[in-house]
Amino acid sequence: MVIDVFNSIANRNDVKPGDYIDNDGFLKCAKCNTRKQSEITCPFNNVSQKVSVMCECEAQENQKQQEEQRKIKFKQRVQTLRRDGLTDPEYLTWVFDKDDGRQPVISCACRKYVDEWESMLSDNVGLLLYGGVGTGKSFFACCIANALLDKCVPALVTNFPRILNKLQSSGWREDRNELFDRLQRYDFVVIDDLGVERGTEYALEQVYAVIDTRYRSGKPLIVTTNLAPDEIKKPENLAYERIYDRILENCIPVKISGKSRRPEKAAEKRKKFQGLLGLE
């Protein structure tokens, strides 16, 4: 006999209008007609009692809420990683969706690098993106970094002038160690513009220390440079040879060819704002 739940159960906060007691005496949901109670038996005294459980629709709603919370926490984590790892605001804008498609082979290779990230990480496979000024080396490196950040992979994008300025301005051993610890902590690191740093003995020593620290971390590194292959394979002195040897051991050389996009972008910008200012 089905009994009105509100006449038979008191002091329950999970009872909703329409819920009822079935013929076996268990509370059931009016919406999905599944039980809101289960029976358990204590192993010590063999006494059975009813306990509250979620019905099917409550379980589905609870799962939905948990999934929403996971998405929120994931987005917050990605935002934190991106804020911490991308040292230049422009890096945020360099994503695969902005690819102009002029270098489909390179674009495809960079996307595959992201798709095969677990293998790249486990085997410590990086890239050396080299080519002329404005050909898209930094763009593709940042596309990879942003795509990995979207997967919640800790990624850092920086450059040697920034690193050297930080080391030189601090002057503290603790700051130097903190920087190197940071380079080891990230799963993925991009160091932009190898070769534009000052060629002093101190600068080259620090560049080698940075590359060697990352090398010893056993984690992937992408380096971009305007240097020609001959300059990389046949460096001018031992200091550069030590640096390039470390890079080439784990970084696959990838040539980024084509004309510089910078003059084209500058012309587009001039034309746009000349029209806006009535100067055409």
Side-chain angles (χ1 to χ4, degrees):
M1 177 179 179
V2 178
I3 306 171
D4 187 339
V5 68
F6 298 105
N7 294 329
S8 62
I9 298 179
N11 301 321
R12 290 184 61 105
N13 57 15
D14 61 340
V15 179
K16 297 179 181 178
D19 287 353
Y20 60 93
I21 300 295
D22 65 14
N23 291 330
D24 295 321
F26 290 92
L27 177 65
K28 297 188 77 171
C29 173
K31 183 178 179 180
C32 65
N33 291 315
T34 59
R35 287 181 176 179
K36 287 186 161 186
Q37 287 181 313
S38 180
E39 188 173 68
I40 61 172
T41 301
C42 178
F44 301 106
N45 56 17
N46 207 34
V47 174
S48 297
Q49 65 179 33
K50 291 184 176 69
V51 295
S52 296
V53 295
M54 286 187 288
C55 64
E56 287 185 4
C57 62
E58 287 175 336
Q60 291 173 358
E61 180 62 27
N62 182 66
Q63 184 177 5
K64 181 180 177 181
Q65 290 176 0
Q66 288 182 348
E67 183 62 28
E68 288 299 322
Q69 286 298 314
R70 280 194 292 269
K71 288 180 180 179
I72 291 171
K73 290 180 180 179
F74 182 85
K75 288 180 180 179
Q76 290 173 341
R77 173 66 174 157
V78 169
Q79 289 173 353
T80 300
L81 289 172
R82 186 167 273 118
R83 185 170 57 248
D84 183 53
L86 300 186
T87 57
D88 189 315
E90 192 171 23
Y91 294 157
L92 294 166
T93 66
W94 291 343
V95 294
F96 283 120
D97 286 346
K98 300 289 182 65
D99 185 5
D100 59 16
R102 295 186 186 180
Q103 300 191 62
V105 174
I106 302 300
S107 178
C108 181
C110 291
R111 289 174 184 269
K112 285 184 177 179
Y113 186 95
V114 175
D115 293 338
E116 300 295 332
W117 167 244
E118 294 301 328
S119 296
M120 302 299 161
L121 178 61
S122 63
D123 292 335
N124 185 16
V125 178
L127 300 174
L128 172 63
L129 305 181
Y130 69 93
V133 174
T135 52
K137 302 180 299 296
S138 301
F139 171 80
F140 283 116
C142 286
C143 283
I144 293 173
N146 275 298
L148 290 176
L149 282 165
D150 287 339
K151 293 186 173 187
C152 232
V153 174
L156 172 69
V157 182
T158 187
N159 56 58
F160 280 116
R162 184 186 296 274
I163 292 173
L164 293 173
N165 287 338
K166 182 176 179 60
L167 289 172
Q168 203 162 26
S169 63
S170 67
W172 293 95
R173 182 73 180 178
E174 290 78 7
D175 291 337
R176 186 176 188 271
N177 290 338
E178 194 281 329
L179 173 63
F180 289 165
D181 287 344
R182 188 182 185 203
L183 289 170
Q184 290 179 316
R185 188 168 65 245
Y186 286 91
D187 288 345
F188 176 77
V189 169
V190 172
I191 299 183
D192 202 23
D193 278 342
L194 171 67
V196 301
E197 68 281 344
R198 297 179 297 276
T200 64
E201 182 178 347
Y202 170 82
L204 292 178
E205 178 185 344
Q206 302 312 311
V207 169
Y208 176 77
V210 167
I211 294 296
D212 186 61
T213 296
R214 187 61 189 177
Y215 170 87
R216 293 179 185 278
S217 75
K219 297 176 182 177
L221 169 70
I222 286 185
V223 175
T224 74
T225 182
N226 296 329
L227 297 172
D230 287 344
E231 295 175 275
I232 298 172
K233 294 177 181 178
K234 299 178 181 179
E236 60 186 67
N237 57 43
L238 180 61
Y240 282 110
E241 184 177 351
R242 293 171 69 219
I243 294 169
Y244 300 158
D245 182 66
R246 277 284 188 260
I247 293 172
L248 290 172
E249 185 169 344
N250 290 320
C251 296
I252 300 172
V254 179
K255 183 178 181 180
I256 312 294
S257 57
K259 296 180 180 179
S260 174
R261 291 169 170 78
R262 292 175 185 173
E264 181 180 331
K265 290 181 178 179
E268 290 176 355
K269 187 174 182 179
R270 283 196 301 271
K271 183 177 180 180
K272 176 182 176 179
F273 285 96
Q274 282 173 345
L276 183 64
L277 298 173
L279 298 175
E280 289 183 322

